[in-house]
Structures are given as structure tokens and as C-alpha cells.
């Protein structure tokens, strides 16, 4: 299975986002959640606050608040909105993140450890990131298929982890429930897909519809806004 090794450059500023958007079809930003020690819900809409109440731990609450707040600031730059606080996100019945009144934007979010990955795209996209480690399959996915419709031969734990990320990314791309994808053989013949190794530490897979698209992956500088 083909993979590309990437050494990420220095983080880019929020002000650089409009230029990147002009140059790409898919923007992917890595956001270090540890950069944000204090945070508030001031940028969350009523819909988002209601969802936040369902989260049980401070870890999940923090990553939700930070990821949505950062995402809104990115969208504000891309869509030329006046205020990030006026942007609202919601999840559909399959868990896909959508932006209210911005159907032209395709959003996908993934997390691993203290890292959030935000994809903002002009085309349908699915993304997943995992720490490069041995894959411990949960009993929930005991029927997880190793087989995949690819030309390349699959060998070893690393390749199994790549299949895992591809299945996660595909389920988000296709707007299907996770278990419907994980328990079946995955056929990627009708889509574009890529797997990257970031800084020899993370595996990230991206799935889009077929076509020739420009994908830009970057780290994002800490956004300076009112987090208190």
C-alpha cells in the first residue's frame, strides 16, 4: 500500500488561510490542543452547547470546544464572514460535521491524543489520523476485514493500521455508520485515497471522490482569541 512520508513545516498563521484556500481543493490543518490551556464556550452556538452537555469528560469537552472554535476562525477567513461566533456547526444523523448556511464547505474532523485534524474541502472528504502504534482491535470490530480491494499486498501491523484509518476515512466520506464499513471488505476503486506518515509518528488517511484535487496539509499556529 502506497504511503508518503511528510515532515511538516513550521505552523502557518490564520491570516495565511485565504491564500491556501485559493491554492487548494482540500485544506488539512493539524491543531495542537495542548496550545490551549484555557478555553470557554463563548464561540459555541446553542446547537453546539447542547451537544457539549452530552460529553462526559473534560478531555472530550476541551477537544470539542477547541476544535470547533478553531474551525470557525478558519471558516471565517475562507468564507469572509464578519464574526466566527456567528458560524454554527452541527452533526447529521451519521455524525458528519456540517456548517449551517455553508453547504459549499465539506468538513471532517479527527483526533488522536492531543492532536486535532481539521479538513475543510470543496469536495466530499473523509479523514482519519492515528498514532503510529500496534493496532489493538476492539471486540466490537471482531469481524474487521483485513482484505481490501487494492493492488498492493498487505503485510504487517503498520499496513493493518493504514487499513483502519482508510476505513474510518471512508465511512466519514461516504456518510455511513462506522460499523457498516468496518465489518465489510473495503472497495476503494471508485474514490481517491492517500495515506501519509507525518513526522514518523502519525498515520493520516484521506478519501475523496474521484478527480484531480490539490491537498495541502499544514500545522496551524495557536489562534489568539478570547478563550477566557
Amino acid at each position: 500500500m502506497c504511503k508518503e512520508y511528510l515532515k511538516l513545516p513550521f505552523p502557518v498563521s490564520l491570516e495565511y488561510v485565504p491564500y491556501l484556500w485559493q491554492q487548494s481543493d482540500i485544506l488539512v490543518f493539524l491543531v495542537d490542543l495542548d496550545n490551549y490551556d484555557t478555553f470557554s464556550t463563548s464561540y459555541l452556538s446553542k446547537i453546539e452547547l447542547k451537544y457539549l452537555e452530552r460529553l462526559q469528560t473534560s478531555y472530550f469537552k476541551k477537544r470539542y470546544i477547541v476544535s470547533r472554535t478553531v474551525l470557525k476562525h478558519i471558516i471565517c477567513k475562507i468564507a469572509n464572514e464578519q464574526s466566527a461566533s456567528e458560524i454554527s456547526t452541527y452533526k447529521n444523523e451519521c455524525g458528519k460535521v456540517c456548517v449551517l448556511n455553508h453547504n459549499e464547505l465539506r468538513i471532517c474532523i479527527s483526533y488522536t491524543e492531543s492532536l486535532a485534524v481539521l479538513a475543510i474541502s470543496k469536495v466530499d472528504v473523509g479523514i482519519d489520523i492515528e498514532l503510529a502504534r500496534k493496532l489493538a482491535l476492539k471486540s466490537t470490530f471482531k469481524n474487521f476485514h483485513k482484505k481490501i480491494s487494492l493492488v498492493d499486498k498487505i503485510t504487517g501491523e503498520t499496513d493493518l493500521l493504514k487499513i483502519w484509518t482508510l476505513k474510518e476515512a471512508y465511512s466519514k466520506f461516504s456518510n455511513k455508520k462506522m460499523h457498516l464499513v468496518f465489518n465489510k471488505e473495503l472497495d476503494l476503486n471508485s474514490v481517491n485515497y492517500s495515506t501519509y506518515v507525518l513526522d514518523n509518528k502519525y498515520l493520516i488517511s484521506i478519501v475523496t471522490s474521484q478527480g484531480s484535487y490539490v491537498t495541502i496539509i499544514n500545522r496551524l499556529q495557536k489562534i489568539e482569541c478570547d478563550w477566557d
Side-chain angles (χ1 to χ4, degrees):
M1 183 182 294
C2 180
K3 61 181 179 294
E4 183 176 347
Y5 290 85
L6 297 178
K7 184 68 176 178
L8 291 178
F10 289 106
V12 300
S13 69
L14 187 63
E15 302 304 317
Y16 198 56
V17 167
Y19 171 78
L20 293 174
W21 184 245
Q22 290 178 355
Q23 305 301 313
S24 65
D25 300 293
I26 305 157
L27 275 182
V28 179
F29 290 106
L30 277 70
V31 178
D32 188 349
L33 300 177
D34 287 339
N35 283 340
Y36 302 93
D37 296 325
T38 58
F39 51 93
S40 76
T41 60
S42 59
Y43 286 94
L44 299 188
S45 67
K46 291 181 180 179
I47 296 173
E48 293 160 337
L49 288 171
K50 187 175 181 180
Y51 181 84
L52 182 67
E53 292 177 356
R54 296 163 52 189
L55 303 179
Q56 299 298 313
T57 68
S58 59
Y59 167 76
F60 288 112
K61 288 178 182 292
K62 176 182 177 179
R63 77 177 195 178
Y64 181 82
I65 294 170
V66 173
S67 65
R68 292 312 187 276
T69 301
V70 171
L71 176 64
K72 290 182 181 192
H73 279 79
I74 294 172
I75 293 173
C76 195
K77 292 294 184 181
I78 287 175
N80 199 27
E81 292 282 358
Q82 294 297 316
S83 173
S85 60
E86 295 179 1
I87 298 170
S88 179
T89 68
Y90 64 95
K91 288 187 175 183
N92 67 11
E93 64 280 1
C94 293
K96 182 179 180 179
V97 179
C98 305
V99 183
L100 193 65
N101 299 323
H102 281 287
N103 294 331
E104 78 280 6
L105 299 178
R106 309 292 194 269
I107 306 298
C108 195
I109 302 175
S110 184
Y111 305 95
T112 186
E113 295 189 317
S114 62
L115 198 64
V117 179
L118 312 178
I120 305 94
S121 176
K122 300 168 185 174
V123 297
D124 288 333
V125 64
I127 193 167
D128 185 57
I129 187 169
E130 298 286 345
L131 182 68
R133 53 176 169 73
K134 287 190 174 182
L135 183 64
L137 294 180
K138 297 179 181 178
S139 58
T140 309
F141 301 121
K142 62 183 178 180
N143 295 322
F144 175 74
H145 284 251
K146 295 183 182 180
K147 290 184 63 179
I148 190 169
S149 297
L150 299 172
V151 176
D152 307 280
K153 185 178 180 180
I154 305 302
T155 56
E157 288 283 349
T158 302
D159 287 323
L160 191 59
L161 183 58
K162 283 186 286 186
I163 298 173
W164 181 280
T165 61
L166 280 168
K167 286 200 170 190
E168 287 246 24
Y170 183 82
S171 68
K172 296 174 184 178
F173 161 79
S174 59
N175 199 27
K176 293 181 179 179
K177 294 287 188 180
M178 294 286 190
H179 70 276
L180 296 178
V181 174
F182 270 71
N183 294 334
K184 293 181 180 179
E185 182 177 341
L186 183 58
D187 185 355
L188 297 174
N189 290 320
S190 61
V191 298
N192 285 351
Y193 62 93
S194 301
T195 298
Y196 304 92
V197 179
L198 305 177
D199 288 342
N200 289 316
K201 186 176 181 181
Y202 302 102
L203 268 72
I204 180 170
S205 287
I206 303 173
V207 175
T208 68
S209 54
Q210 284 188 330
S212 180
Y213 305 121
V214 176
T215 301
I216 297 178
I217 302 176
N218 258 306
R219 288 183 292 170
L220 189 66
Q221 281 183 0
K222 179 182 178 181
I223 293 178
E224 301 297 339
C225 60
D226 184 11
W227 292 93
D228 300 315

